[in-house]
Amino acid sequence: TIVADGSTGTGTTLQTPTDVLIDGSRLLVIDSGRRALFSIDPVTGNRSVLADDGTGVGLDFLTPRSLALDATTNTVLVSDTGRVAVLSVDLAGGVRRIVSGQNVGPGTALVAPAGVLIEDSNQLLLVDRTLQTVFRITRADGTRVRVSDNKAGDGPRFVSPVAVTSGTDRFLVVDDLVDSLFAVDRGPAGRTLLADDANTMNLLDAPNACALDPINNRVLITDPGNAAISAIDLGTASTFLLSDANTGAGTNPLQPF
């Protein structure tokens, strides 16, 4: 079912939406083409801009990629590949500031920030595709610490990590070049390969986003290579299609993100 597009809902038309999350009764969408953060009514599809170069103050987005919601402070965290930084956006006024990156915070400089996840009230997790690294970032001062990469932690290596979501005692990372889902321990950051081409029957092809479904103990993955949305069972590592051109009714997904 289409919730919002050029023919559904009113307001500025989306151009290149790259991430979406639920905030109460509305959707928050970041659009790299529009370089904007949108609020969307899921019933009507009506769209309003919460932050862009004409709404709110602070540094403009350049290539915003991923979102994480902090409902307690009414802010979202946005990874921006063009800015090479993580920004905080106040949802009430669109005020933007850099949390980490661009000379904010000590630690290894970011290169290609992608998926972002709020770990707790003090810390974020961020994956960097080019550095093949998961960082833990302190929100107060922007300090970046390598949590898992070819020097930190053991197990199979990342090649191009693009997205991260939370598990119970671990976090989950999607890699779009090796078509894989990794589990990374929160303590000593050992990596375990949960799913790849060998055990998914090639159901993953350049996966680029993920979300935890705790009720069903699975992770949901968008897959533009197969123009599909898939699910991986975290108990058995079984992978199955939820929606593609041959599964489910309605408008076919073309390049889900």
Side-chain angles (χ1 to χ4, degrees), residues 12 28 31 37 43 50 58-59 62 65 70 81 85 106 117 134 138-139 151 210 215 226 228 244 246 255:
T12 302
L28 299 178
D31 189 309
L37 176 67
V43 177
L50 298 179
L59 288 174
L62 291 182
R65 169 67 170 77
D70 185 350
T81 304
L117 172 71
V134 179
T138 302
R139 296 174 67 175
K151 295 180 180 179
C210 59
I215 295 176
N226 286 320
D244 69 356
N246 300 309
Q255 193 174 15

Side-chain angles (χ1 to χ4, degrees), residues 134-254:
V134 179
F135 287 94
R136 180 170 281 119
I137 296 176
T138 302
R139 296 174 67 175
D141 63 3
T143 297
R144 297 174 296 280
V145 176
R146 290 176 181 257
V147 174
S148 186
D149 61 9
N150 60 2
K151 295 180 180 179
D154 54 21
R157 293 184 177 183
F158 303 128
V159 177
S160 177
V162 292
V164 58
T165 191
S166 182
T168 50
D169 57 350
R170 58 187 180 175
F171 51 92
L172 307 170
V173 177
V174 166
D175 190 305
D176 69 344
L177 281 186
V178 290
D179 302 334
S180 299
L181 175 68
F182 292 83
V184 183
D185 298 331
R186 289 187 183 274
R191 295 176 297 278
T192 303
L193 187 62
L194 294 182
D196 62 4
D197 282 341
N199 64 356
T200 64
M201 298 178 293
N202 297 316
L203 287 180
L204 298 181
D205 183 7
N208 60 11
C210 59
L212 183 68
D213 176 6
I215 295 176
N216 295 299
N217 192 36
R218 63 185 183 178
V219 61
L220 310 179
I221 295 178
T222 56
D223 189 331
N226 286 320
I229 300 172
S230 299
I232 297 176
D233 187 292
L234 294 176
T236 65
S238 299
T239 305
F240 53 94
L241 284 171
L242 292 180
S243 183
D244 69 356
N246 300 309
T247 307
T251 303
N252 293 335
L254 295 180

Side-chain angles (χ1 to χ4, degrees), residues 88-155:
S88 173
V89 182
D90 173 33
L91 292 175
V95 177
R96 301 172 295 279
R97 68 176 183 85
I98 291 180
V99 174
S100 187
Q102 279 201 353
N103 300 317
V104 176
T108 302
L110 301 175
V111 177
V116 63
L117 172 71
I118 294 176
E119 189 172 33
D120 57 39
S121 60
N122 300 314
Q123 299 179 124
L124 311 173
L125 292 174
L126 176 75
V127 295
D128 189 299
R129 299 182 68 176
T130 300
L131 295 178
Q132 304 170 326
T133 298
V134 179
F135 287 94
R136 180 170 281 119
I137 296 176
T138 302
R139 296 174 67 175
D141 63 3
T143 297
R144 297 174 296 280
V145 176
R146 290 176 181 257
V147 174
S148 186
D149 61 9
N150 60 2
K151 295 180 180 179
D154 54 21

